[in-house]
Amino acid sequence: MKRFKFIYFTVFSIIFSITSAQDILMQDGTFDQCSGTFFDSGGAVDDYGTDEDFTITICPDDPLLITTLEFTDFEVPGVNGTNFEIYDADTADPTQLLGSFSGDLADNPELELISASDENPTGCLTIVFQSATFFPNPGWAATIGCREPCEDTTATLNQIVPSEFNTATQNYEIEFFQETNFQINPVFPPGNGNSSQYIWDFGDGTPPVNTSVPIVQHTYESLGNFTVSVTIIDDFGCENDVLQI
């Protein structure tokens, strides 16, 4: 019976080690993986240390993929020399700086999803962290992932209400000074994220309008023939000019 307990404990220890090995603590080095959690040097429980100066690079484990980080926790005050930077490269190339971040997640909504760009030949992200000589903080946790390069997003027109479709000219006719609803149906390929932004250009000289849903209202205040165009930017930063109306 004792022998059985010993064997069971050994197997459990091996499984535990394999599972934990996916997590990365902040340090100098390069890691190739598309899973696990990226923590500050204190891990899931402790604060990061004082007077730290680390540069880490996280790359995809498949050269055809692109690295992503989804931050679930972030508390890094940017005071007294504390610095947290992310680069769209496999080095801390100043020309590829995605941003310098401080505060918490509410102060940095971009950290909800950070992705290397399609133009990045390595698909890697590099993070530089320097902490102050006193007052450490909880730090961060980010889910490591990978995505496929951007694919084309498409869309079809759902409705323009109120309007009348002129079959002779193949144009929609809208009364000016009348609030009109424009709605499209986007189709996202498996390799893209969900939509984060729709940019509507109504062709009448008014500023483009950004929405987080595929519907918008607009009022034309002059007569004319106008082309409405819609650009979709998904949560990976993939941008597609999807429709002209």
Side-chain angles (χ1 to χ4, degrees):
M1 190 68 177
K2 291 182 179 179
R3 183 180 179 186
F4 175 77
K5 287 184 177 180
F6 175 77
I7 293 174
Y8 176 81
F9 178 77
T10 302
V11 172
F12 175 81
S13 299
I14 293 172
I15 294 173
F16 180 79
S17 298
I18 292 172
T19 302
S20 299
Q22 295 179 346
D23 295 338
I24 304 174
L25 302 187
M26 188 64 195
Q27 59 191 282
D28 290 325
T30 299
F31 297 84
D32 300 336
Q33 62 186 70
C34 290
S35 62
T37 304
F38 169 47
F39 291 105
D40 60 88
S41 62
V45 178
D46 296 325
D47 295 350
Y48 59 77
T50 59
D51 203 25
E52 294 185 352
D53 188 357
F54 295 126
T55 298
I56 193 171
T57 298
I58 302 175
C59 298
D61 55 17
D62 182 331
L64 299 179
L65 298 179
I66 294 169
T67 298
T68 63
L69 291 173
E70 296 181 62
F71 283 80
T72 54
D73 291 295
F74 188 80
E75 190 172 338
V76 180
V79 294
N80 303 317
T82 300
N83 184 49
F84 185 94
E85 298 175 335
I86 303 178
Y87 295 83
D88 183 21
D90 58 354
T91 63
D93 181 349
T95 66
Q96 301 301 320
L97 177 66
L98 287 175
S100 298
F101 304 96
S102 61
D104 56 22
L105 280 180
D107 299 321
N108 302 276
E110 309 97 315
L111 291 177
E112 292 181 5
L113 180 58
I114 293 286
S115 174
S117 68
D118 278 27
E119 294 72 30
N120 181 338
T122 66
C124 303
L125 292 172
T126 295
I127 301 93
V128 174
F129 178 66
Q130 298 156 329
S131 63
T133 56
F134 49 86
F135 298 132
N137 278 271
W140 65 87
T143 301
I144 302 167
C146 292
R147 68 172 178 88
E148 296 179 358
C150 293
E151 300 180 35
D152 290 338
T153 296
T154 60
T156 56
L157 177 64
N158 185 20
Q159 64 176 9
I160 301 176
V161 180
S163 70
E164 291 186 9
F165 185 70
N166 188 321
T167 56
T169 63
Q170 296 292 297
N171 291 325
Y172 289 88
E173 297 179 350
I174 300 170
E175 297 289 336
F176 68 103
F177 287 107
Q178 179 171 274
E179 190 174 80
T180 305
N181 290 325
F182 296 81
Q183 185 175 14
I184 63 172
N185 289 325
V187 179
F188 296 96
N192 287 30
N194 294 322
S195 173
S196 59
Q197 189 175 180
Y198 298 84
I199 304 176
W200 306 78
D201 188 331
F202 297 97
D204 58 353
T206 58
V209 175
N210 290 17
T211 65
S212 60
V213 292
I215 187 171
V216 71
Q217 292 180 335
H218 184 69
T219 300
Y220 284 97
E221 298 184 358
S222 61
L223 294 173
N225 295 320
F226 306 109
T227 299
V228 180
S229 61
V230 187
T231 299
I232 297 179
I233 303 176
D234 67 24
D235 51 10
F236 290 145
C238 300
E239 182 172 335
N240 289 272
D241 298 323
V242 297
L243 195 64
Q244 287 192 337
I245 306 166

